[in-house]
Amino acid sequence: MDDSIASLLIIIAISVGVSVVTFWGLGGLVHVAYYKRRRDRAHEWKLQPKRFLKDDLVRHSFKLGGFNIIIGGIVGGTFSWHVVNGGWSTLYFDLARWPDAPGGMVTNLVWLPVSALLCYAMIDAGLYYSHRFMHNKWIFKYIHRWHHRYTAPVIFTTTATHPLEFLVFQFFVMLPVVVVPMHWSVYLVVVLYTYLIGMIDHCGIKVQWPLPFHTGNRFHDDHHVYFHCNYGHHTQLWDRLHGTLRQENRRYGEHVFGGKGAPSKAKAKSSKSDLDSAASAAQ
Ligand SMILES: [Zn+2]
Ligand SMILES: [Zn+2]
């Protein structure tokens, strides 16, 4: 076999292997530890203690999420092979990428966290806008609804989406590698962190320890409960900016599109009675 094809297959195998072990393996361990062993104590650990996904939907997410993660491993592995073989991207391998930069090595080292933050913000924005786009009435019905079947998400639902949607999200996760100059290890850390956030956001378990630049996992769990709000992945920044954060006094649901909810029933009633009394006063 051609050496280059052999190396491509090896890299893809490693990439798929890591994805599968973390998804089915680690994900499976967490699932058994909570959903099987502590099911009777759900009020202690579960974000939605009274609601459990039906067994057939858990199995469905296990298969669909696994299928997508394998696709992700193949795409990611092929890209890694491209980069390792000197293919173009904005990733670099030498820590002293700009030896003549003012400040020398210090500037090169400072760039590491700065590029990580840029990459992080770019992925966060890409995932927010593409996710919000998925909540368009038509796209939601035919594509994104696949992911919203899981109203009480479990860890396997992280990647259980329509495969087309999975590829769109993967595109935005990979976009920084042709935009932001960054050390390959910086990108790897940001991608693994993105994956970890996805798993934590979907596990359905109250996670007590706060993660940096993340606002807790009830936020996305609520997205599965209320549907058209809380679109952000890493942070709430974009939701705050566009007013799509869930509000206590608004009504949400599968058929309430637009990201900003509808007037709550009580409020709608009171404004109707205000109108009625205003109308009778005017008569
Ligand atoms: Zn959604
Ligand atoms: Zn989700």
Side-chain angles (χ1 to χ4, degrees), residues 147 153 157-158 202 220 223-224:
H147 185 61
T157 63
T158 306
H202 288 91
H220 189 75
H223 176 70
H224 283 262

Side-chain angles (χ1 to χ4, degrees), residues 23-56:
F23 183 79
W24 282 325
L26 291 180
L29 286 177
V30 171
H31 191 78
V32 169
Y34 285 87
Y35 287 83
K36 302 278 180 210
R37 301 236 163 104
R38 291 173 218 194
R39 196 177 171 105
D40 55 337
R41 282 179 283 146
H43 59 281
E44 288 173 10
W45 58 266
K46 203 169 180 317
L47 286 169
Q48 299 182 50
K50 292 190 177 141
R51 194 188 238 175
F52 281 87
L53 210 57
K54 285 191 181 128
D55 285 347
D56 59 334

Side-chain angles (χ1 to χ4, degrees), residues 47 147 153-155 157-158 194-205 207 211 214-224 232-235:
L47 286 169
H147 185 61
V154 297
I155 207 155
T157 63
T158 306
T194 297
Y195 182 39
L196 176 71
I197 286 177
M199 299 274 247
I200 285 176
D201 278 355
H202 288 91
C203 69
I205 301 162
V207 174
L211 289 174
H214 181 56
T215 31
N217 64 345
R218 189 177 286 280
F219 182 72
H220 189 75
D221 197 86
D222 275 352
H223 176 70
H224 283 262
H233 189 270
H234 295 23
T235 67

Side-chain angles (χ1 to χ4, degrees), residues 34-249:
Y34 285 87
Y35 287 83
K36 302 278 180 210
R37 301 236 163 104
R38 291 173 218 194
R39 196 177 171 105
D40 55 337
R41 282 179 283 146
H43 59 281
E44 288 173 10
W45 58 266
K46 203 169 180 317
L47 286 169
Q48 299 182 50
K50 292 190 177 141
R51 194 188 238 175
F52 281 87
L53 210 57
K54 285 191 181 128
D55 285 347
D56 59 334
L57 272 178
V58 173
R59 279 195 295 275
H60 182 268
S61 68
F62 187 78
K63 288 183 216 157
L64 177 62
F67 173 77
N68 283 334
I69 205 97
I70 289 171
I71 295 183
I74 293 172
V75 174
T78 308
F79 171 74
S80 309
W81 173 81
H82 161 82
V83 170
V84 166
N85 284 285
W88 187 80
S89 77
T90 50
L91 298 183
Y92 58 82
F93 291 84
D94 187 354
L95 276 177
R97 171 72 179 80
W98 299 281
D100 301 328
M105 197 57 194
V106 174
T107 306
N108 280 278
L109 290 178
V110 167
W111 180 248
L112 297 177
V114 172
S115 60
L117 284 176
L118 279 175
C119 176
Y120 191 77
M122 196 172 162
I123 293 177
D124 192 26
L127 293 181
Y128 173 83
Y129 288 108
S130 54
H131 185 193
R132 196 171 164 188
F133 179 69
M134 297 281 170
H135 278 261
N136 160 283
K137 220 172 194 173
W138 191 88
I139 299 173
F140 183 80
K141 185 175 173 193
Y142 292 104
I143 295 179
H144 193 46
R145 177 80 182 78
W146 280 39
H147 185 61
H148 277 275
R149 273 178 288 198
Y150 316 116
T151 45
V154 297
I155 207 155
F156 309 119
T157 63
T158 306
T159 53
T161 63
H162 191 297
L164 206 62
E165 173 180 331
F166 181 80
L167 288 175
V168 169
F169 288 154
Q170 186 161 23
F171 171 83
F172 284 103
V173 170
M174 291 182 72
L175 192 59
V177 300
V178 291
V179 179
V180 183
M182 61 190 148
H183 193 263
W184 68 272
S185 62
V186 166
Y187 179 64
L188 185 67
V189 168
V190 175
V191 165
L192 290 178
Y193 192 48
T194 297
Y195 182 39
L196 176 71
I197 286 177
M199 299 274 247
I200 285 176
D201 278 355
H202 288 91
C203 69
I205 301 162
K206 289 178 197 162
V207 174
Q208 308 295 353
W209 23 273
L211 289 174
F213 305 105
H214 181 56
T215 31
N217 64 345
R218 189 177 286 280
F219 182 72
H220 189 75
D221 197 86
D222 275 352
H223 176 70
H224 283 262
V225 175
Y226 298 100
F227 292 82
H228 307 284
C229 57
N230 294 10
Y231 301 122
H233 189 270
H234 295 23
T235 67
Q236 298 181 358
L237 178 71
W238 310 99
D239 283 288
R240 288 184 185 279
L241 208 65
H242 294 293
T244 53
L245 208 64
R246 185 174 80 84
Q247 306 292 326
E248 287 293 339
N249 57 351

Side-chain angles (χ1 to χ4, degrees), residues 72 152 211 270 273:
L211 289 174
S270 73
S273 62

